[in-house]
Amino acid sequence: ALWCLMMSVTPTRGCLLDLPWEDILVPHILCHLPLQQLLSLQRVSKSFQSLIQLYLANMRCFDSSQIRPAIPRAAFVNLLKDNEVLQQLALQNCSDWLTDRELLPVIGQNHHLHQIQLKGCAQLSRHALVAISLSCPNLRQLSLAHCEWVDSLSLRSLADHCKALEAVDLTACRQLKDEAICYLVQKCSRLKSLSLAVNANVGDMAVEEAAKCCPELEHLDLTGCLRVKNDSIRVLAEYCPKLRSLKVKHCHNVAESSLSILRSRGVELDVEPPLQRALVLLQDVVGFAPFINLQI
């Protein structure tokens, strides 16, 4: 279908390339094609190569997952070298090839970015986060999950310059401690979603400060935060009336005595009530669940 579209020629209508590029082809046709196909289209002719380069320069969203296999370093740099209008940049799990050298020029020339996904990009450094904070004042969503290079100083830079942040994923950013998280939530009070999962250094101080500073908080992930205890969950219930979901699996010091407050408000929790959990365990042991009248 793509080949028929791009090569269709009639004596009266001409060909696809005769349509206005910036008014028709780029915003109404090429935007509906997968990026991988667009890159293949460049090889058809010099005219198509120029058309695709125009598209890439005006692209608002770039997602590396649309390209298989992994992008060579030089190809990534070439794809975005003329683009200054990106709004969304998704480069998750690009640890095989993405370093500061490839990312920083893209960040430096795109000041309209409001969503950045860097999950699992292990070869970057704290300089990448500093560059993001200085170049992207309108940033609203940022994922740094499993980026262990994120430290307190770079996170402070982010908090100082990106106060419009609404969602931050710091899963497994193991260098971060309570003090760094406290600074972030104090500066970024619009946060609606925050993940601090898989971080043994995060405790009650960070959770309580997030609760008090971010009244709009809707989603909080504390999975595996072993230092979090009941007291901070009660503070969360008191200060965050808009909370919709809370993850506390493997938080062994969080008990039903604090979770029941949120459960009664309809907050989605990732741990079952004690009775239901006991029934599941019993079923695993004996192979069936005994009948219990839960209305008694």
Side-chain angles (χ1 to χ4, degrees), residues 227-240:
R227 294 176 56 232
V228 173
K229 302 181 179 64
N230 279 326
D231 289 345
S232 61
I233 302 302
R234 293 192 183 96
V235 172
L236 190 68
E238 179 181 356
Y239 284 89
C240 296

Side-chain angles (χ1 to χ4, degrees), residues 238-275:
E238 179 181 356
Y239 284 89
C240 296
K242 297 184 179 181
L243 193 68
R244 294 167 52 191
S245 70
L246 173 66
K247 295 183 178 180
V248 289
K249 188 171 288 186
H250 307 302
C251 295
H252 304 302
N253 294 312
V254 174
E256 184 64 21
S257 58
S258 60
L259 294 176
S260 60
I261 305 171
L262 295 169
R263 205 184 297 279
S264 66
R265 283 172 24 193
V267 175
E268 180 183 345
L269 303 174
D270 63 342
V271 293
E272 301 293 345
L275 178 58

Side-chain angles (χ1 to χ4, degrees), residues 53-70:
Q53 288 176 345
L54 176 65
Y55 171 81
L56 293 173
N58 290 275
M59 187 167 48
R60 299 296 197 273
C61 177
F62 180 84
D63 187 346
S64 62
S65 67
Q66 295 182 11
I67 304 176
R68 290 287 186 264

Side-chain angles (χ1 to χ4, degrees), residues 124-178:
L124 298 175
S125 76
R126 59 188 298 268
H127 300 294
L129 186 52
V130 172
I132 289 171
S133 66
L134 296 177
S135 298
C136 308
N138 300 314
L139 192 63
R140 295 200 299 272
Q141 299 181 34
L142 176 63
S143 175
L144 299 169
H146 302 281
C147 293
E148 298 194 19
W149 44 266
V150 177
D151 60 10
S152 59
L153 289 177
S154 57
L155 192 70
R156 279 175 171 263
S157 179
L158 179 73
D160 285 335
H161 297 94
C162 299
K163 295 183 173 63
L165 279 168
E166 295 179 357
V168 179
D169 188 346
L170 299 172
T171 298
C173 293
R174 295 186 176 91
Q175 287 195 59
L176 300 178
K177 298 181 180 179
D178 281 347

